[in-house]
Amino acid sequence: NAGVTQTPKFQVLKTGQSMTLQCAQDMNHNSMYWYRQDPGMGLRLIYYSASEGTTDKGEVPNGYNVSRLNKREFSLRLESAAPSQTSVYFCASSDQGQSTEAFFGQGTRLTVV
Amino acid sequence: KNQVEQSPQSLIILEGKNCTLQCNYTVSPFSNLRWYKQDTGRGPVSLTIMTFSENTKSNGRYTATLDADTKQSSLHITASQLSDSASYICVVSGGTGGFKTIFGAGTRLFVKA
């Protein structure tokens, strides 16, 4: 089993460009999440999907959109990248909600110049 | 305000020594507390999860303790190995007015030969 797979691993964007981060899990989990990790701070929730067909805003949703394509896949889109979105992005999944054990992807290191 | 504070920020120990990392939280009411290990360039991996009724849980050389009365947790690492060099993240779930999961900023542990 691959667990949670994120692509790409690294990306450099120019301000104003758009991109989509892809995430897929093969554990048949109901819930999926997108977090960002910045130096000196804990992971912060951007968006989550409690189950297939639903998405909800997390703590820092501005500038992002998400799509729960099916039970396996949950993508994160930056429509117009800004330098403040330079960060490491993690996708995660869990069986039932945020309070249960989450499994994380390897992360995407995004730099916006 | 719900918060999770970890100390120390970073720690250097010699291989074979023991160490203890601290986590204080203000999340109330409390649901559960998790410790994750994050290797450099990787996503976090779950070590332990504890609910209100549990005050200690072990995973190999890792032992987590929880004092729900004082809202404190610790992670004790016994006979450290070079592979223990990583960030250790405390995560607390709970809260009122909307269930929350809050990540601490982590403790960066360096184990030297």
Side-chain angles (χ1 to χ4, degrees), chain A:
Chain A
N1 284 348
V4 179
T5 303
Q6 283 182 243
T7 55
K9 196 167 168 77
F10 299 95
Q11 184 71 50
V12 178
L13 290 178
K14 293 182 179 178
T15 298
Q17 286 185 318
S18 62
M19 77 162 296
T20 299
L21 282 65
Q22 306 287 350
C23 175
Q25 53 93 6
D26 62 4
M27 295 171 283
N28 201 36
H29 284 164
N30 290 306
S31 302
M32 297 186 73
Y33 316 88
W34 277 104
Y35 294 94
R36 61 178 289 172
Q37 186 174 40
D38 299 295
M41 301 179 70
L43 275 79
R44 292 182 293 168
L45 183 64
I46 304 171
Y47 270 93
Y48 67 99
S49 171
S51 60
E52 186 179 355
T54 69
T55 60
D56 287 286
K57 295 179 180 178
E59 183 185 351
V60 287
N62 291 346
Y64 306 95
N65 284 300
V66 291
S67 295
R68 184 76 183 264
L69 304 169
N70 48 55
K71 192 169 186 180
R72 290 188 64 246
E73 298 173 288
F74 188 40
S75 62
L76 178 72
R77 182 159 178 84
L78 287 71
E79 291 291 352
S80 179
S84 61
Q85 294 179 304
T86 294
S87 187
V88 181
Y89 291 84
F90 287 98
C91 176
S93 70
S94 68
D95 192 29
Q96 295 290 345
Q98 287 190 70
S99 66
T100 55
E101 181 184 14
F103 295 80
F104 287 82
Q106 291 200 31
T108 296
R109 184 172 293 274
L110 174 67
T111 302
V112 182
V113 297

